[in-house]
Amino acid sequence: MKDFSWNYFLKTGQIDAYLLYKECQMKQDLLQSEAEVQELLSYTKKSLPFNG
């Protein structure tokens, strides 16, 4: 969807297509950030001794 909206924007100049592209990009970036946080948390839990 991201590639389609970008290509559509390039061909037509419609701002709605650009906004859809940006929304897809932001969601993709958010998912990537969440995955990185989960990876760091997983690593931290494995690395730290249990204090309980």
Side-chain angles (χ1 to χ4, degrees), residues 35-49:
E36 290 172 358
V37 167
Q38 289 300 321
E39 184 179 338
L40 287 172
L41 287 174
S42 175
Y43 177 76
T44 302
K45 287 179 183 177
K46 291 177 186 175
S47 300
L48 296 177

Side-chain angles (χ1 to χ4, degrees), residues 16-45:
D16 290 333
Y18 177 75
L19 293 174
L20 179 60
Y21 167 78
K22 291 302 287 182
E23 183 178 346
C24 290
Q25 186 179 26
M26 286 190 301
K27 286 182 181 180
Q28 185 178 15
D29 291 346
L30 180 61
L31 289 173
Q32 178 66 32
S33 295
E34 288 176 352
E36 290 172 358
V37 167
Q38 289 300 321
E39 184 179 338
L40 287 172
L41 287 174
S42 175
Y43 177 76
T44 302
K45 287 179 183 177

Side-chain angles (χ1 to χ4, degrees), residues 1-6 20-21 24:
M1 185 62 136
K2 182 179 164 188
D3 292 335
F4 172 79
S5 61
W6 178 251
L20 179 60
Y21 167 78
C24 290

